[in-house]
């Protein structure tokens, strides 16, 4: 597969971009990823503005739009639909009259305090997630994102070679309510930028079927720890009515669980394409005799 060129980086701390006569004020938030974008009302995004927002998302992976107090549910969903069809989440609570908007409330289990990729247990995980933080605690409750392009790029050439053709099983299991699973490449190729990124996540990934259970546990633990290093991350301190938009294909994120007060977010996700690799899938590990293969990960299906 021929890789397309990635967008050129913004090298200044602050940059502006013209979009249909409007000025975007863009401020980078870390050396690894993330940019704050001012100068746009997400209720009234023009085609030219959306084109620029999409470019910035591909470049910086996560964008923050402060001061979106007037954002309506209709406009929130409409922004998601500019990327594609929006998802109705299989089990999380929804905003009344707007089932496309998932409610993430701290007093109802909405503390995603483990590193994860949104809905990676689906055959078609989201392209992007758009989170409107409606109510945030006076302190704490930050969210961190990690750049999975950088996580892959900094692996050794030998380790990259070993990962070629491996897949990972991602599982959601909440008995007896729901069970979903999907198998995706350990290293996926972004369908727009052509860049490779790691695609395993501590919350959902159970095992690598091409390896023994012990090998799988060891490789996944290394990849989890490697991909979560601070040098690949940005950390966002929320203000109420900030909107975050991130590329779910090349990032993972975690909500810091260091608060007790109420926190509420409203999220729209856009289902994506099938994660793909540019190398053939390797065959599964063949068990010998009556050898049992039970992945240790708690979200794995017993006896898979």
């Amino acid at each position: 597969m021929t890789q397309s060129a990635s967008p050129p980086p913004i090298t200044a701390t602050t940059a502006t971009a013209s979009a249909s006569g409007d000025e975007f004020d863009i401020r980078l938030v870390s050396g690894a990823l993330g940019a704050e974008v001012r100068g746009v009302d997400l209720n009234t995004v023009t085609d030219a503005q959306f084109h620029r927002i999409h470019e910035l998302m591909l470049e910086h992976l996560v964008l923050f739009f402060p001061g979106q107090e007037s954002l309506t549910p209709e406009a929130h969903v409409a922004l998601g639909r500019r990327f594609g069809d929006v998802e109705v989440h299989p089990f999380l609570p929804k905003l009344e009259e707007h089932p496309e908007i998932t409610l993430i409330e701290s007093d109802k289990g909405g503390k995603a305090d483990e590193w994860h990729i949104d809905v990676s247990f689906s055959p078609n995980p989201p392209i992007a997630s758009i989170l409107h933080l409606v109510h945030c605690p006076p302190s704490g409750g930050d969210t961190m994102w990690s750049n999975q392009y950088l996580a892959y790029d900094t692996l050794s050439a030998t380790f990259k070679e070993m990962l070629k053709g491996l897949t990972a099983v991602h599982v959601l299991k909440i008995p007896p309510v729901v069970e979903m699973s999907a198998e995706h490449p350990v290293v996926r190729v972004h369908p727009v930028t052509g860049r490779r990124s790691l695609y395993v996540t501590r919350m959902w990934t159970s095992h690598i079927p091409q390896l023994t259970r012990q090998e799988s546990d060891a490789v996944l633990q290394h990849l989890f720890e490697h991909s979560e290093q601070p040098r690949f991350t940005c950390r966002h301190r929320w203000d109420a009515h900030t909107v975050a938009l991130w590329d779910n294909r090349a990032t993972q994120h975690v909500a810091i669980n260091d608060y007790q007060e109420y926190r509420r977010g409203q999220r729209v996700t856009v289902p994506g394409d099938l994660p793909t690799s540019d190398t053939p899938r390797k065959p599964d590990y063949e068990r010998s005799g009556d050898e049992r293969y039970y992945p240790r990960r708690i979200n794995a299906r017993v006896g898979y």
Side-chain angles (χ1 to χ4, degrees):
M1 175 178 177
T2 302
Q3 293 189 11
S4 59
S6 56
I10 294 179
T11 55
T13 304
T14 303
T16 57
S18 176
S20 255
D22 298 323
E23 290 257 324
F24 284 0
D25 181 18
I26 304 163
R27 300 174 185 270
L28 307 189
V29 298
S30 86
L33 77 167
E36 184 180 273
V37 181
R38 296 179 183 269
V40 59
D41 180 354
L42 295 181
N43 279 303
T44 57
V45 176
T46 67
D47 290 344
Q49 287 174 329
F50 175 73
H51 178 74
R52 182 57 178 152
I53 288 169
H54 188 230
E55 287 182 334
L56 291 170
M57 184 191 76
L58 293 174
E59 181 176 353
H60 300 294
L61 301 182
V62 55
L63 305 178
F64 306 103
F65 301 87
Q68 301 292 327
E69 290 86 354
S70 64
L71 182 65
T72 66
E74 292 81 5
H76 191 176
V77 174
L79 179 59
R81 285 189 173 136
R82 284 183 173 269
F83 290 94
D85 294 332
V86 297
E87 175 193 54
V88 176
H89 199 280
F91 66 91
L92 290 179
K94 322 293 191 299
L95 185 66
E96 188 175 352
E97 299 183 358
H98 295 280
E100 308 94 338
I101 298 179
T102 298
L103 296 180
I104 302 173
E105 297 180 278
S106 59
D107 62 347
K108 297 177 182 176
K111 290 188 174 183
D113 54 355
E114 192 167 29
W115 283 99
H116 64 285
I117 300 164
D118 280 342
V119 202
S120 66
F121 47 80
S122 167
N124 301 96
I127 293 170
S129 295
I130 308 169
L131 177 63
H132 179 196
L133 224 296
V134 177
H135 193 285
C136 55
S139 61
D142 297 358
T143 302
M144 297 180 68
W145 282 263
S146 179
N147 183 332
Q148 297 305 286
Y149 289 145
L150 291 180
Y152 174 77
D153 290 344
T154 51
L155 293 171
S156 70
T158 301
F159 203 82
K160 289 177 184 176
E161 186 66 27
M162 188 271 289
L163 295 179
K164 286 183 178 180
L166 298 185
T167 61
V169 177
H170 300 243
V171 179
L172 168 69
K173 188 173 183 181
I174 308 177
V177 180
V178 64
E179 180 175 329
M180 298 177 64
S181 68
E183 187 174 337
H184 302 306
V186 170
V187 178
R188 72 170 293 179
V189 175
H190 196 288
V192 181
T193 68
R195 296 182 65 184
R196 296 181 183 90
S197 64
L198 287 181
Y199 202 72
V200 294
T201 177
R202 190 180 293 272
M203 181 178 282
W204 307 126
T205 305
S206 65
H207 65 290
I208 297 171
Q210 294 82 14
L211 305 179
T212 69
R213 190 200 70 190
Q214 290 80 8
E215 291 168 344
S216 173
D217 290 344
V219 170
L220 284 176
Q221 186 61 31
H222 173 68
L223 292 178
F224 297 154
E225 293 176 358
H226 175 77
S227 64
E228 297 161 7
Q229 290 182 72
R231 62 182 172 141
F232 304 142
T233 69
C234 70
R235 179 166 177 157
H236 180 67
R237 169 73 183 108
W238 292 97
D239 291 317
H241 298 293
T242 293
V243 172
L245 161 67
W246 64 92
D247 191 332
N248 198 56
R249 299 163 292 191
T251 62
Q252 55 178 305
H253 57 285
V254 61
I256 308 302
N257 186 4
D258 61 350
Y259 63 97
Q260 299 300 320
E261 300 86 354
Y262 181 64
R263 183 180 187 268
R264 173 188 171 111
Q266 298 178 179
R267 189 187 70 192
V268 168
T269 54
V270 183
D273 45 14
L274 181 69
T276 59
S277 175
D278 55 359
T279 54
R281 183 190 186 281
K282 291 176 180 173
D284 285 357
Y285 168 70
E286 293 187 10
R287 288 173 269 181
S288 59
D290 61 352
E291 178 186 2
R292 305 177 79 187
Y293 188 102
Y294 289 170
R296 291 177 176 173
R297 301 285 301 157
I298 60 171
N299 60 358
R301 293 183 294 174
V302 174
Y304 184 90

